[in-house]
Amino acid sequence: MSAMVLELGRLVRFSHTVFSVPFAVAAAAVASVDHPITLRVALLVLICVTGARTAAMGYNRIADREIDAKNPRTAKRELPKGAVSIRAAGLLTAVSGAAFLGAAFLISPLTGVLAVVALPLALGYSLAKRFTWLCHFWLGVVLALAPIGAWVAVAGRFDAFPILLGAGVLCWIGGFDIVYALADMDFDRREGLHSFPARFGPRVTLATSAVLHLFAPLFFVAAGVASGRGPSYFAGVACAAAALLAGQIVTLRGGKGDAVFNANGWVSLLFGAAAVVDVVLSGAVA
């Protein structure tokens, strides 16, 4: 039983929560400044974020299992090598999706309706590579919904902060994912799959990634200005920008796959921690 749990954890890459949870936590924390958050809502938001990404990743692995089996880089993933059955992966996906929808409706009818819209978008990303090179930006939109949804869960409405923060997340994820996809560029071309690198090549991919990672921290700054955040928040943005720069350097030096992932993983961790610290400090001063 424990071995299966570990394999399921590897299947959906729980380590990838660093790309969504910190930004959702940051949005909820900033929203709580004017809209006090209860422990119940905080736990439900956490269930929503983890449930949505687990369902999306589980479905991604199911949908891509035959493609993964052909790709040397992904052939040892849990479904292609038989470590996890399709039935188990499907059950995990279904339970996670249900948890996401259930938690969202428990927060409020508005978040429940938004979840009904968001879940198909999250699952649909897994099929996007079959027909559009915009798949990377589709993923960016899906992850951008995490802080927007967390804000709405706490505040009960939309505001400038989550929209601007979401735009920054979109730029960050889009710029990261197109570089990450360079590792599969030749394979995608052979298999007729659509990706940004397969369509435009390495040079345009690297230039586009750099531009997107320039805009990401600018949106983070704009979000902070719109919500009147303090020095700690902007220090976090500076650290996130430094992590983005480090990711670009790793890429230019030939880094791919996990090396690019690790460099970009610090972006949300640094930003999320700084945003929470800023909210705590602002409360202490007040």
Side-chain angles (χ1 to χ4, degrees):
M1 180 65 179
S2 59
M4 176 55 67
V5 171
L6 288 174
E7 292 293 349
L8 286 171
R10 296 189 186 100
L11 174 79
V12 296
R13 297 293 293 272
F14 280 116
S15 59
H16 285 201
T17 54
V18 300
F19 287 93
S20 56
V21 172
F23 278 104
V25 170
V30 174
S32 71
V33 173
D34 296 318
H35 308 274
I37 185 173
T38 65
L39 178 60
R40 173 181 177 274
V41 170
L43 291 175
L44 288 173
V45 168
L46 187 60
I47 291 172
C48 283
V49 176
T50 55
R53 73 151 306 279
T54 300
M57 184 66 80
Y59 183 69
N60 178 267
R61 292 297 190 250
I62 294 171
D64 282 355
R65 64 189 185 279
E66 294 181 0
I67 295 174
D68 287 343
K70 297 178 182 179
N71 188 343
R73 186 181 69 83
T74 58
K76 293 184 179 180
R77 284 178 175 171
E78 288 67 31
L79 283 176
K81 72 178 183 180
V84 174
S85 67
I86 296 177
R87 179 181 179 182
L91 180 61
L92 176 63
T93 300
V95 170
S96 299
F100 167 55
L101 293 174
F105 274 104
L106 285 173
I107 294 171
S108 73
L110 175 58
T111 53
V113 171
L114 292 175
V116 171
V117 175
L119 187 58
L121 283 174
L123 299 180
Y125 157 72
S126 298
L127 305 176
K129 198 174 183 179
R130 290 158 173 79
F131 58 86
T132 178
W133 53 265
L134 292 171
C135 52
H136 316 279
F137 305 101
W138 188 323
L139 177 63
V141 169
V142 169
L143 291 184
L145 292 176
I148 294 174
W151 178 282
V152 173
V154 177
R157 57 187 174 85
F158 294 95
D159 285 284
F161 179 85
I163 301 300
L164 291 169
L165 183 58
V169 171
L170 169 58
C171 290
W172 165 50
I173 291 297
F176 158 66
D177 201 55
I178 60 175
V179 166
Y180 192 80
L182 281 170
D184 293 330
M185 181 179 68
D186 294 335
F187 174 81
D188 289 343
R189 285 174 171 172
R190 288 196 305 269
E191 294 297 319
L193 296 172
H194 299 270
S195 70
F196 195 94
R199 173 65 177 82
F200 297 103
R203 182 174 298 181
V204 174
T205 296
L206 294 174
T208 302
S209 176
V211 171
L212 289 169
H213 282 181
L214 174 64
F215 275 97
L218 294 179
F219 277 118
F220 297 158
V221 168
V225 171
S227 58
R229 303 322 310 148
S232 298
Y233 174 92
F234 294 103
V237 173
C239 290
L244 287 171
L245 177 60
Q248 290 293 320
I249 293 173
V250 168
T251 301
L252 291 174
R253 289 180 175 177
K256 294 181 180 180
D258 289 342
V260 177
F261 172 86
N262 292 334
N264 278 271
W266 284 101
V267 174
S268 59
L269 291 174
L270 292 168
F271 176 88
V276 172
V277 169
D278 183 71
V279 169
V280 173
L281 291 179
S282 65
V285 172

